[in-house]
Amino acid sequence: MSNYAYHHPNLWQMCTLFLGAIALVSCGNPVPTAVPMTRVPASTTPTVAQATQATPVTKQPIFGNVIPRPVSEIPSGGSFRLLAETGIYVEPETSEMRAIGQYFSDLINPSTGFTLKVQGTKGLPGKGNIYLTLTGAAPILGDEGYELTITPELVKVVANQPAGLFYGLQTIRQLLPAAVDSTSSQPGPWLIGAGTITDYPRYAWRGAMLDVARHFFSVRDVTHYIDLLAYYKINRLHLHLTDDQGWRIQINSWPNLVLYGGSLEVGGTPGGYYSQDDFEYIVNYAQLRYITIVPEIDVPSHTNAALASYPELACDGVAPELYTGTRVGFSSLCASKDITYKFMEDVIAEIAALTPGPYLHIGGDEAMSTNQVDYVNFFQRVQPIVEKFGKQVVGWEEIAQAKLLPAAIVQHWNLDKGFAAQALAQGAKFIMSPADKTYLDMKYQASTSLGQDWAGYINLETSYSWDPATEVNGITEKSILGIEAPLWTETVETMDDIEYMAFPRLPGYAEMGWTPQAKREWSEYKNRLAAHGPRLEVLDVHYYQSPEVTWP
Ligand code: TNX
């Protein structure tokens, strides 16, 4: 048998048995989630009878249906049983290593009732334990890869860097029964199929973007999203922090940006903003999950909220009204005024100081109200400011109209590939976010109540079945840093809405960022995704039950 059928019918039944009973899940999140108790309509939850008959996959499940699909999986038969006495041994015993072990211990505590003890070790621990080590990893694993060896005696994860161990633990989480992610006590048994997984990512940039400007989302919503991203080994969360409808990050030197410019959102409802403490909390929360926050200040257009707060930034010096509609491209900072660059310098200095990650995104999209000369001059002056404060420039592909700094990263989104070609000619590295393939705000189909359709409908197959390296002529693997799935929130108002648009497309993007192209095939993936339905339900994710998938 070439593919190992790791499938315990009794475990499967066990997981589904609890679906109806599960109330609230926070993925180890110390902040309670803001999500309501039950969000999947009762009629879509399988009955126990249906669930026990249903075959969750039509092909054989591959080592527990892990998403993203690992590079190599060699099953060996048998299983490891997690018990209350299981210890988590880390080597070397650093605070970061202990934090990774503790994260896993805390994560599985509510469902298993176990309080797995985290301790240091030098060399193999005894039988019945989990061993996380940075000793002896193969170079091919790189900075994010891991090798996971499961025998009935031991679970061993070896990596070159702590991030790899964190990803190895996410894989273990997916190899355990879905009920492990429940917030209520579950009976187990907690078995992990035995075998070896060798795994490392295709791309360094595996991103999601959340627009917190059109509609504002609380710290709790953002950390909840971060937990879901971590489950699928996504390592960048790009926060679109400013737009015409709201400025959402406190800037001490320009206080009105949030006090006035952050007061509303699309539709005219109250907006909100992150204090600098809030933002640091988010950044730290993400960092503990090996996710880098990429803050975006979208300029020179998409700035109505800033202009309304500080009219001196407009060429005519007149404050516009706050804007709560959904048009784009009508606002612009004044590229020919010196105060604009003082403003940019102050904002970039504060954001850079709050951000441990190396990137600062400066937008640049849809500047229809900035003339070409001004636009080019603006980015000629703003890019060096970003570098002066120690950050690497990221921008939407329009910024390639300016001469790019050698380290600038360009985000491809436009259906028109002209700017991408200009960026390519300058030797830029790309984040691939083609709107017709990766925009999480596009409707799944005509009847989807949320979302837009200007880039087309994006059903699951469309979202999954493309290769970033053949998407744009000339943009090949060596120019691609990775992929990112943006969620624009003109129509997205609640955490439920976020989950509905992101799931289940997001796991597919996570796989596209991680798994070699040769191991990705829709007809196989859709069965693996089906097996994640019960997992998403235990996690209380309000996902779209697409008819393209035979959900169990
Ligand atoms: C285009 S993509 C935009 C956003 C909108 C989005 C809606 C890009 C860089 N700009 O301003 O929110 O479409 O789908």
Side-chain angles (χ1 to χ4, degrees):
M1 189 165 65
S2 61
N3 278 336
Y4 171 61
Y6 171 58
H7 188 180
H8 290 273
N10 52 339
L11 283 184
W12 182 256
Q13 292 164 20
M14 211 75 90
C15 310
T16 50
L17 265 171
F18 300 110
L19 294 180
I22 285 144
L24 201 90
V25 165
S26 72
C27 318
N29 182 345
V31 184
T33 57
V35 290
M37 304 266 286
T38 300
R39 292 175 299 165
V40 178
S43 61
T44 62
T45 305
T47 63
V48 172
Q50 282 167 340
T52 51
Q53 288 163 8
T55 310
V57 289
T58 55
K59 286 189 179 180
Q60 292 186 333
I62 299 158
F63 218 129
N65 294 313
V66 175
I67 296 176
R69 186 178 184 179
V71 170
S72 142
E73 300 155 293
I74 306 168
S76 58
S79 58
F80 177 91
R81 183 166 180 176
L82 204 68
L83 296 166
E85 309 81 75
T86 303
I88 301 178
Y89 287 84
V90 298
E91 178 186 36
E93 190 189 359
T94 62
S95 58
E96 185 173 10
M97 292 289 288
R98 291 189 72 97
I100 293 172
Q102 198 58 49
Y103 163 90
F104 188 72
S105 178
D106 293 346
L107 194 72
I108 67 165
N109 167 270
S111 58
T112 62
F114 305 159
T115 309
L116 304 190
K117 199 170 158 226
V118 181
Q119 52 212 299
T121 184
K122 291 201 172 97
L124 274 181
K127 286 186 180 179
N129 292 307
I130 298 175
Y131 174 37
L132 309 178
T133 180
L134 296 178
T135 305
I140 195 170
L141 300 176
D143 288 345
E144 294 187 295
Y146 63 92
E147 188 172 86
L148 170 59
T149 313
I150 300 153
T151 66
E153 287 79 40
L154 193 77
V155 173
K156 177 182 174 188
V157 192
V158 57
N160 289 305
Q161 296 293 333
L165 300 176
F166 182 83
Y167 296 134
L169 288 173
Q170 296 302 336
T171 296
I172 292 172
R173 195 176 160 196
Q174 292 193 11
L175 295 173
L176 280 159
V180 77
D181 278 305
S182 172
T183 48
S184 62
S185 172
Q186 306 292 324
W190 306 107
L191 299 174
I192 309 171
T196 302
I197 291 182
T198 306
D199 204 12
Y200 46 87
R202 176 180 182 183
Y203 293 124
W205 190 294
R206 304 180 302 279
M209 189 212 82
L210 183 64
D211 170 8
V212 296
R214 270 52 177 273
H215 280 97
F216 180 66
F217 294 92
S218 67
V219 172
R220 203 182 274 183
D221 286 341
V222 174
T223 54
H224 181 65
Y225 201 46
I226 287 171
D227 279 325
L228 296 173
L229 303 179
Y231 190 51
Y232 291 107
K233 303 186 178 83
I234 286 173
N235 68 352
R236 305 276 185 263
L237 175 60
H238 165 184
L239 289 175
H240 183 76
L241 292 166
T242 67
D243 213 302
D244 291 315
Q245 299 85 347
W247 186 285
R248 310 296 181 200
I249 175 75
Q250 179 182 28
I251 303 295
N252 292 327
S253 51
W254 297 74
N256 278 346
L257 289 171
V258 291
L259 295 178
Y260 184 62
S263 57
L264 296 178
E265 59 180 9
V266 166
T269 37
Y273 65 89
Y274 307 123
S275 69
Q276 296 206 346
D277 284 350
D278 288 340
F279 189 73
E280 282 189 317
Y281 180 86
I282 291 172
V283 161
N284 290 333
Y285 193 91
Q287 211 169 24
L288 285 168
R289 286 149 185 81
Y290 294 87
I291 292 175
T292 300
I293 297 291
V294 181
E296 179 188 353
I297 302 301
D298 197 355
V299 285
S301 193
H302 293 274
T303 47
N304 188 79
L307 301 172
S309 310
Y310 291 100
E312 58 269 42
L313 298 173
C315 284
D316 64 6
V318 177
E321 298 277 299
L322 290 175
Y323 182 68
T324 59
T326 60
R327 281 186 302 119
V328 296
F330 59 88
S331 56
S332 183
L333 296 177
C334 192
S336 57
K337 280 186 174 177
D338 283 341
I339 192 165
T340 296
Y341 301 95
K342 163 90 175 107
F343 170 77
M344 288 308 300
E345 176 137 357
D346 290 346
V347 168
I348 288 168
E350 290 194 36
I351 303 270
L354 289 170
T355 307
Y359 315 107
L360 205 154
H361 199 305
I362 46 176
D365 58 319
E366 300 171 321
M368 280 92 88
S369 307
T370 318
N371 75 46
Q372 170 81 16
V373 173
D374 280 353
Y375 183 91
V376 168
N377 287 340
F378 178 82
F379 281 112
Q380 233 77 289
R381 287 182 71 171
V382 169
Q383 290 181 86
I385 301 175
V386 175
E387 289 211 343
K388 176 172 142 191
F389 290 100
K391 300 298 174 191
Q392 195 172 346
V393 169
V394 188
W396 298 107
E397 63 198 332
E398 286 96 320
I399 66 163
Q401 294 167 87
K403 184 167 167 17
L404 296 173
L405 291 183
I409 298 167
V410 162
Q411 187 162 11
H412 165 62
W413 68 277
N414 213 311
L415 303 184
D416 176 339
K417 316 262 193 275
F419 298 124
Q422 279 178 268
L424 187 66
Q426 298 196 56
K429 290 272 189 284
F430 286 87
I431 301 162
M432 301 299 282
S433 302
D436 57 346
K437 309 266 174 29
T438 67
Y439 270 27
L440 291 168
D441 63 318
M442 290 304 123
K443 292 174 183 288
Y444 291 97
Q445 53 174 332
S447 62
T448 309
S449 59
L450 299 170
Q452 310 207 48
D453 60 8
W454 66 263
Y457 303 124
I458 307 182
N459 66 15
L460 298 189
E461 185 171 359
T462 304
S463 71
Y464 185 84
S465 301
W466 62 285
D467 179 2
T470 56
E471 175 66 10
V472 180
N473 256 342
I475 302 183
T476 54
E477 196 75 351
K478 66 180 191 318
S479 319
I480 298 176
L481 215 53
I483 76 150
E484 186 173 296
L487 179 49
W488 303 99
T489 59
E490 286 93 335
T491 66
V492 170
E493 298 179 28
T494 63
M495 192 67 221
D496 258 12
D497 294 350
I498 290 178
E499 290 176 353
Y500 189 80
M501 298 309 277
F503 290 89
R505 288 182 287 203
L506 198 63
Y509 298 126
E511 178 150 308
M512 184 174 296
W514 183 281
T515 305
Q517 182 64 21
K519 295 209 84 176
R520 292 201 309 114
E521 192 211 323
W522 166 247
S523 62
E524 183 278 328
Y525 172 71
K526 69 178 178 180
N527 298 324
R528 215 155 14 91
L529 180 61
H532 276 242
R535 294 186 177 275
L536 293 174
E537 287 180 28
V538 171
L539 290 167
D540 202 23
V541 173
H542 179 234
Y543 67 101
Y544 166 59
Q545 294 201 327
S546 168
E548 300 161 86
V549 170
T550 311
W551 302 100

